[in-house]
Amino acid sequence: MFPATDGISSIISDTMKIVFQRRLVDRVLRLWKEMAHREPFPRRDQIEPAMLGVDWLNCLVIAVKSPVRLSTFVYVGENLSFTRCPDESLAGVLLLHLPQVLSERRCLMIEGLTRLRDLDILYRSALYPLAEDGIAIDHVLGAANYRPLRENEDSIAPFVRTKWL
């Protein structure tokens, strides 16, 4: 009586796939999940730059230390690098959320408006835990991208919105 697949459902499904392929944080999340398989977290050596292609320029890797404030960047992609100090880069913004990821042991998406190097920007980023033994988080993979605010967009007070993935 009804067709096996509804045309509208197929269109919506295809549209959602395209939308999620457009987002950097979703592309990296998909790779992170593939590498994790049945483990809670993938290992750092499973995340290879070639797998991420041009997205690797928007990624970073943090070596987790105890206490957390001693954690360091192992890699910072060209599009996230900084010349003056971490507080003036998206890498520094992500580092602020590291304690949340470690305590909750989950991936975290962070969106917001901030000012970097005299420029108001909108950004979307995410942090993905990594563990050599699949349990103890020893590194965190980050991905972030941004765009300058447009002239017609109001520069409002900085905001941050987070969402667990």
Side-chain angles (χ1 to χ4, degrees), residues 59-75:
C59 290
L60 57 83
V61 178
I62 302 167
V64 175
K65 306 287 186 213
S66 182
V68 177
R69 64 181 167 76
L70 298 178
S71 298
T72 57
F73 294 108
V74 174
Y75 168 79

Side-chain angles (χ1 to χ4, degrees), residues 16-32:
M16 293 305 290
K17 287 177 187 172
I18 290 168
V19 167
F20 283 116
Q21 288 175 354
R22 287 181 39 203
R23 281 185 163 179
L24 168 71
V25 296
D26 293 320
R27 291 190 305 269
V28 176
L29 178 62
R30 186 173 41 258
L31 174 68
W32 183 88

Side-chain angles (χ1 to χ4, degrees), residues 5-160:
T5 59
D6 182 321
I8 300 275
S9 295
S10 295
I11 291 170
I12 291 171
S13 176
D14 292 346
T15 302
M16 293 305 290
K17 287 177 187 172
I18 290 168
V19 167
F20 283 116
Q21 288 175 354
R22 287 181 39 203
R23 281 185 163 179
L24 168 71
V25 296
D26 293 320
R27 291 190 305 269
V28 176
L29 178 62
R30 186 173 41 258
L31 174 68
W32 183 88
K33 286 180 176 180
E34 286 173 10
M35 295 300 107
H37 295 286
R38 290 180 168 76
E39 296 293 324
F41 309 112
R43 295 183 322 273
R44 178 178 169 228
D45 65 358
Q46 289 179 287
I47 309 295
E48 296 184 24
M51 299 168 118
L52 289 159
V54 295
D55 287 342
W56 187 241
L57 299 173
N58 289 66
C59 290
L60 57 83
V61 178
I62 302 167
V64 175
K65 306 287 186 213
S66 182
V68 177
R69 64 181 167 76
L70 298 178
S71 298
T72 57
F73 294 108
V74 174
Y75 168 79
V76 178
E78 187 177 314
N79 294 341
L80 302 180
S81 65
F82 51 93
T83 55
R84 292 179 246 163
C85 70
D87 294 335
E88 295 182 10
S89 70
L90 274 179
V93 171
L94 269 74
L95 195 57
L96 295 173
H97 296 279
L98 184 60
Q100 287 176 275
V101 172
L102 297 175
S103 66
E104 289 291 325
R105 301 178 54 76
R106 297 167 61 183
C107 299
L108 178 67
M109 182 171 69
I110 308 111
E111 300 174 307
L113 174 112
T114 194
R115 187 166 188 84
L116 293 179
R117 299 186 192 108
D118 302 321
L119 183 66
D120 290 326
I121 64 163
L122 286 173
Y123 67 92
R124 178 176 290 126
S125 58
L127 293 171
Y128 313 88
L130 305 171
E132 187 62 35
D133 63 2
I135 299 167
I137 299 170
D138 52 16
H139 288 83
V140 173
L141 172 66
N145 55 6
Y146 65 95
R147 69 167 175 80
L149 278 182
R150 296 182 184 107
E151 285 185 29
N152 62 345
E153 292 177 309
D154 291 329
S155 177
I156 57 173
F159 79 92
V160 174

